[in-house]
């Protein structure tokens, strides 16, 4: 954490980057503007009604989706030098401390999204103010500030992935995995628990996903505005998590060795940890989906329900392992590793099922803690 707070932005390097990449900034501005101000202009010219209220407009979801996509992709551009030994040696030969270099590149990549987003966001709202009679609301300003704060958090996993991979292709693959993993984990827990553990209700109305995925927090809190929890609390949670995440990433960057560039990974534990966790969540998710309509109480272990999820996740793991080794000659070793992951996952899910969530279903609250009781039945 000390490295994070002692790091300084090198404004000369940042200014030089902006000059060299100004065309990229223009492209991003045009791309995001298509989703909001340009879309409004088209509606105005065609005299088509535009939906809006005091808190938002129908164009905001598309603007935020496009912004999230760019947030994930932009760090791959500004840290692309890490995929070349020669470029790494050149950048690290600059009279800039590594922690300062990382912070400068990180902030620059964020600004290349924040500036186009600002142009598009306020460009769209100004058009609504001038031509659609929308009144200026404090909510428009607070939404903007909250979004900017979450943007920095959404980029953090991509930075972490880049510091553990040595090629652009591997960075892209594992950035996508890191982005999807919280949603798959949430879906796996949601379907498995509500299906196999007595007394567990659907989590679709809960706030759990907002605390495991910053992009989910962005969409649920700011765009759809359908959470009963304070946005400030969620944003503070993610800002603290981002500080910790960034401090770890800076530590990894300071230990970067140029000889690891152009190799799939520069951290021998990264692939095992990320791929194993992802495959385990994916197995539980697909297993729960395929056993949803079966009648047997042990349906998630029935062969007809196991076959497709196991084969599917095995193929996914083999693909990831093949990309890692750049060879198809390690199928036997991949099978052994996958077997350990699958058996461990099935063993854990079986324990959870047998114990009904480690005693959750048998838990009886105190009378004073009961506000209401609801009884549901699937009987006709």
């Amino acid at each position: 954490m000390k490295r994070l707070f002692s790091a300084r932005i090198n404004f000369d390097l940042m200014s030089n980057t902006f000059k060299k990449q100004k065309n990229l900034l223009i492209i991003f501005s045009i791309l995001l503007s298509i989703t909001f101000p340009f879309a409004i202009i088209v509606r105005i010219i065609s005299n088509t009604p535009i939906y809006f209220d005091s808190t938002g407009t129908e164009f905001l979801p598309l603007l935020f989706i496009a912004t999230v996509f760019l947030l994930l992709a932009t760090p791959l551009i500004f840290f692309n030098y890490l995929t070349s030994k020669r470029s790494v040696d050149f950048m690290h030969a600059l009279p800039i401390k590594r922690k300062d270099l990382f912070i400068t590149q990180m902030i620059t990549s964020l600004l290349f999204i924040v500036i186009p987003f600002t142009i598009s966001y306020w460009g769209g709202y100004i058009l609504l103010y001038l031509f659609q009679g929308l009144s200026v609301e404090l909510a428009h300003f607070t939404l903007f500030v909250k979004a900017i704060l979450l943007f920095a958090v959404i980029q953090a996993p991509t930075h972490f992935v880049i510091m553990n991979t040595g090629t652009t292709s591997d960075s892209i693959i594992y950035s996508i995995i890191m982005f999807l993993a919280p949603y798959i984990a949430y879906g796996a827990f949601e379907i498995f628990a509500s299906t196999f553990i007595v007394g567990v209700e659907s989590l679709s109305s809960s706030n759990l996903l907002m605390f495991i995925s910053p992009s989910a927090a962005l969409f649920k809190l700011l765009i759809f505005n359908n959470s009963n929890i304070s946005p400030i609390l969620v944003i503070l949670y993610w800002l603290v998590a981002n500080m910790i995440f960034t401090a770890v990433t800076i530590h990894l960057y300071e230990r970067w060795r140029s000889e690891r560039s152009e190799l799939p990974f520069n951290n021998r534990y990264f692939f095992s940890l990320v791929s194993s966790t992802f495959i385990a969540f994916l197995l539980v998710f697909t297993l729960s989906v395929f056993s949803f309509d079966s009648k047997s109480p042990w349906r998630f272990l029935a062969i007809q329900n196991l076959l497709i999820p196991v084969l599917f996740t095995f193929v996914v793991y083999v693909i990831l392992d093949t990309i890692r080794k750049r060879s198809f000659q390690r199928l036997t070793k991949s099978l052994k590793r996958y077997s350990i992951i699958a058996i461990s996952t099935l063993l854990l899910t079986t324990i959870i099922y047998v114990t009904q969530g480690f005693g959750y279903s048998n838990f009886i609250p105190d009378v004073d803690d009961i506000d209401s009781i609801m009884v549901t039945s699937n009987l006709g």
Side-chain angles (χ1 to χ4, degrees):
M1 194 67 70
K2 181 181 178 180
R3 291 182 177 90
L4 174 61
F5 290 110
S6 61
R8 297 292 181 266
I9 298 174
N10 188 296
F11 290 100
D12 291 335
L13 177 60
M14 179 181 289
S15 175
N16 183 62
T17 303
F18 268 91
K19 291 177 182 178
K20 292 173 62 177
Q21 300 286 357
K22 60 183 178 181
N23 289 338
L24 182 65
L25 192 64
I26 294 172
I27 292 173
F28 283 176
S29 299
I30 294 174
L31 179 61
L32 292 186
S33 295
I34 291 173
T35 66
F36 198 2
F38 289 163
I40 291 177
I41 291 174
V42 170
R43 290 284 189 92
I44 293 174
I45 294 174
S46 60
N47 199 27
T48 304
I50 301 175
Y51 167 78
F52 60 86
D53 56 26
S54 61
T55 59
T57 171
E58 60 182 302
F59 299 105
L60 282 184
L62 186 58
L63 171 62
F64 277 84
I65 290 172
T67 303
V68 168
F69 173 78
L70 294 181
L71 284 168
L72 298 176
T74 305
L76 299 171
I77 299 173
F78 289 93
F79 285 98
N80 185 58
Y81 64 88
L82 292 176
T83 62
S84 168
K85 296 178 182 179
R86 181 178 297 180
S87 298
V88 169
D89 290 337
F90 172 78
M91 292 295 290
H92 289 174
L94 296 175
I96 306 173
K97 294 181 180 179
R98 286 201 183 185
K99 60 184 178 181
D100 297 343
L101 179 58
F102 174 83
I103 287 295
T104 301
Q105 294 294 88
M106 183 188 75
I107 298 299
T108 302
S109 67
L110 179 62
L111 288 177
F112 264 72
I113 304 301
V114 170
I115 293 173
F117 175 81
T118 302
I119 295 171
S120 179
Y121 183 91
W122 289 113
Y125 268 112
I126 288 172
L127 289 173
L128 291 176
Y129 297 150
L130 295 177
F131 298 101
Q132 297 295 311
L134 177 66
S135 59
V136 179
E137 301 282 350
L138 179 61
H140 304 158
F141 294 89
T142 57
L143 173 62
F144 175 77
V145 173
K146 293 171 186 175
I148 298 301
L149 293 175
L150 285 175
F151 287 168
V153 184
I154 292 172
Q155 273 197 338
T158 302
H159 293 137
F160 178 75
V161 168
I162 293 171
M163 297 310 132
N164 287 280
T165 53
T167 69
T168 302
S169 59
D170 289 291
S171 296
I172 292 173
I173 291 170
Y174 286 91
S175 294
I176 294 173
I177 288 176
M178 291 285 282
F179 179 79
L180 295 178
Y183 292 94
I184 294 176
Y186 176 82
F189 185 80
E190 154 83 8
I191 301 175
F192 182 86
S194 59
T195 303
F196 298 111
I197 301 178
V198 177
V200 175
E201 293 289 335
S202 172
L203 299 175
S204 58
S205 61
S206 73
N207 297 308
L208 176 62
L209 186 57
M210 290 194 302
F211 289 97
I212 61 176
S213 171
S215 60
L218 176 71
F219 288 112
K220 189 166 185 177
L221 281 178
L222 306 184
I223 300 178
F224 300 108
N225 196 27
N226 59 351
S227 173
N228 56 1
I229 193 169
S230 170
I232 300 300
L233 176 63
V234 177
I235 292 173
L236 287 175
Y237 163 83
W238 278 116
L239 288 178
V240 173
N242 185 44
M243 290 171 58
I244 298 172
F245 215 53
T246 303
V248 173
T249 306
I250 291 176
H251 175 71
L252 293 173
Y253 183 72
E254 289 185 316
R255 299 179 60 186
W256 185 281
R257 295 177 296 171
S258 61
E259 59 267 25
R260 300 298 297 176
S261 298
E262 302 177 17
L263 296 177
F265 301 97
N266 59 49
N267 184 338
R268 60 179 177 175
Y269 303 108
F270 180 81
F271 173 80
S272 299
L273 178 62
V274 175
S275 63
S276 299
T277 304
F278 179 72
I279 292 298
F281 286 142
L282 189 61
L283 177 58
V284 175
F285 177 79
T286 53
L287 190 59
S288 301
V289 170
F290 276 88
S291 59
F292 190 81
D293 293 326
S294 301
K295 300 299 182 182
S296 169
W298 289 91
R299 55 190 180 273
F300 69 91
L301 292 179
I303 185 63
Q304 67 270 26
N305 296 326
L306 278 173
L307 185 61
I308 294 179
V310 168
L311 289 177
F312 172 71
T313 51
F314 172 66
V315 170
V316 173
Y317 183 80
V318 169
I319 291 174
L320 293 177
D321 198 36
T322 299
I323 294 173
R324 175 175 70 114
K325 292 299 182 181
R326 304 304 196 258
S327 172
F328 284 95
Q329 306 301 317
R330 298 172 56 86
L331 187 60
T332 303
K333 290 186 177 181
S334 296
L335 178 59
K336 291 180 180 178
R337 293 193 185 97
Y338 174 79
S339 298
I340 294 173
I341 298 171
I343 292 172
S344 301
T345 302
L346 293 175
L347 179 61
L348 179 60
T349 55
T350 301
I351 293 173
I352 294 174
Y353 174 75
V354 171
T355 61
Q356 284 295 286
F358 300 107
Y360 175 85
S361 298
N362 299 321
F363 172 73
I364 301 176
D366 294 333
V367 176
D368 295 337
D369 296 330
I370 299 176
D371 294 326
S372 63
I373 298 176
M374 181 176 66
V375 179
T376 59
S377 175
N378 294 325
L379 298 177

